[in-house]
Amino acid sequence: VLRRIGRPVKKLLALGPRIRRAVSDAVATPTEQLEPVPSGTPELVTYLRAARWDGSVLELTGWAYHVGWPDDADVKVVASAANGRSAEFEVIREPSELVNTVAQDPACDHSGSAFRARLAATELIGSEPANAIFSRTWSVDVVLDRGERSDQTSFSRRFRWGSAGQLAAQQVDGCLIRPDWEAKGRLTLTTARRAVSAVSVELADRSAFLRLRIVGNLRPNRAVIRNDAGDERDVPLSTDGQDYVVQVDAASLIPGDSTDGSLAHQRWYLSVLDGRVARQVHWSAEGGRGLIQTYPGDPRCSVRHAPSGVLRFDVATPRPLLDDVQLVRTEPAALKIRGRYDGDHVALAS
């Protein structure tokens, strides 16, 4: 959907206050209160604008600059783990006037501080043991290097909308790579190989059949679904060769006293248990990140690959969802809105 919004420069400046409100709270002083500072003590400002997956490559876009200083520093983006390992992103400079709209730094033009950084996930998981469970956390930092001076910090702010506000995981070579924004304002990456993954999901009328693959010594004898409110229900679990099969019916997800009308949104998560040990079921790369499948016999129920990497069942009245908003630098400028219909696409067409 494109909405024409007039000449780019004037309209972009007019949108400044609303854009700034859509950026997460800062760790340091808000930019609109910043004044040009002495050259010896510049403040380093970093923003995360978007975080997307291009296959197995993680792509971050944003900007970094010193308040009151020109944008002539080399920019590096580095992921570092606690064991001393590190991986450096490929950084491509991509100037953007949006930086000045948000920054409001009267001393300098910071449009040249914008960049795009790319990192192949295999750089993070290449040395991990094969066919073994593991979990590792990486901190993502931005470095501005001027030779005689090098400053490093995490992304201090992010845009609340779009991909930066809804960070999504990806499966690469059987491993989960999950970006996460911590409460104190820090971007991290978690790499892991999970114990239980759904390698296939088949839907028939009001039932979903999931084939699970196990890594390690887990031997589940029970499967349950739990919702955000803490309600728990058992679902059928059986074996098929080396795999396990779970059946989740719509009747297990929808309250028994509900009608065909609207429902309050519910989220259910599938786990398998081996005695007292419970493991959540994650989705695998076979289906792809963001996949949503609706029950043919009840469009209010769906199974999906949640952004965190787990397999999730949703119960809700079908509705349109907003995924991303982008400013298109055309003449006149335009607003590109990307979304999807969460429900029965056949019903939407009719």
Side-chain angles (χ1 to χ4, degrees):
V1 179
L2 292 178
R3 177 186 173 192
R4 298 293 175 181
I5 59 176
R7 292 184 61 81
V9 176
K10 292 183 179 179
K11 293 296 183 178
L12 187 61
L13 291 175
L15 287 172
R18 275 179 282 173
I19 293 176
R20 287 193 295 275
R21 284 196 298 272
V23 179
S24 65
D25 294 336
V27 175
T29 308
T31 50
E32 50 264 49
Q33 297 177 8
L34 293 175
E35 299 293 339
V37 295
S39 59
T41 57
E43 179 176 359
L44 176 55
V45 177
T46 53
Y47 277 85
L48 177 65
R49 181 182 179 185
R52 300 185 178 93
W53 285 99
D54 181 9
S56 61
V57 176
L58 176 62
E59 184 174 281
L60 308 177
T61 57
W63 54 81
Y65 61 85
H66 283 114
V67 176
W69 278 18
D71 304 320
D72 56 358
D74 290 332
V75 179
K76 299 178 182 179
V77 180
V78 181
S80 304
N83 65 352
R85 291 177 53 198
S86 64
E88 186 170 334
F89 287 69
E90 175 194 9
V91 175
I92 304 100
R93 287 293 188 102
E94 293 185 340
S96 172
E97 289 295 334
L98 182 61
V99 185
N100 288 329
T101 304
V102 177
Q104 296 290 292
D105 180 5
C108 285
D109 172 13
H110 290 297
S111 60
S113 67
F115 60 82
R116 178 163 49 98
R118 292 169 57 86
L119 178 68
T122 52
E123 295 290 324
L124 303 176
I125 61 176
S127 62
E128 299 293 353
N131 302 319
I133 299 172
F134 72 90
S135 181
R136 195 177 309 282
T137 300
W138 304 71
S139 296
V140 180
D141 290 331
V142 181
V143 180
L144 288 190
D145 188 2
R146 286 187 164 85
E148 74 284 355
R149 180 191 182 103
S150 181
D151 291 325
Q152 178 173 334
T153 186
S154 59
F155 283 99
S156 57
R157 308 180 186 182
R158 66 169 173 170
F159 277 68
R160 289 179 178 149
W161 66 63
S163 57
Q166 299 179 0
L167 298 171
Q170 182 66 297
Q171 284 272 357
V172 178
D173 295 342
C175 298
L176 177 75
I177 296 89
R178 187 183 71 188
D180 189 35
W181 185 265
E182 297 188 351
K184 58 184 178 181
R186 184 169 70 110
L187 178 65
T188 61
L189 303 175
T190 298
T191 55
R193 182 177 288 112
R194 299 306 188 187
V196 188
S197 297
V199 295
S200 70
V201 179
E202 296 181 4
L203 297 172
D205 194 26
R206 292 170 56 84
S207 297
F209 300 90
L210 300 92
R211 180 175 293 274
L212 310 183
R213 194 150 296 164
I214 308 296
V215 175
N217 298 321
L218 183 71
R219 295 295 178 264
N221 53 24
R222 181 186 171 204
V224 299
I225 54 173
R226 296 187 180 93
N227 63 13
D228 293 329
D231 300 326
E232 180 178 298
R233 297 170 187 173
D234 282 82
V235 292
L237 172 69
S238 60
T239 59
D240 184 5
Q242 295 183 341
D243 295 336
Y244 291 79
V245 177
V246 174
Q247 178 179 339
V248 180
D249 297 329
S252 300
L253 303 172
I254 299 177
D257 57 354
S258 66
T259 64
D260 292 335
S262 61
L263 287 171
H265 190 192
Q266 299 181 51
R267 297 177 176 180
W268 294 83
Y269 302 89
L270 176 64
S271 298
V272 294
L273 296 88
D274 179 1
R276 295 183 178 181
V277 177
R279 302 286 188 184
Q280 274 195 318
V281 176
H282 289 71
W283 50 266
S284 66
E286 280 79 353
R289 174 180 54 85
L291 179 67
I292 300 175
Q293 298 182 70
T294 303
Y295 280 56
D298 196 328
R300 298 174 298 174
C301 298
S302 62
V303 56
R304 62 191 63 205
H305 295 175
S308 63
V310 299
L311 197 73
R312 195 180 81 209
F313 295 85
D314 279 26
V315 179
T317 304
R319 65 212 188 279
L321 298 177
L322 177 66
D323 286 330
D324 196 19
V325 178
Q326 294 180 352
L327 182 66
V328 182
R329 293 179 57 82
T330 56
E331 181 61 41
L335 202 62
K336 186 176 182 180
I337 301 173
R338 189 186 305 274
R340 55 197 158 85
Y341 182 71
D342 189 9
D344 187 353
H345 290 264
V346 176
L348 176 64
S350 61

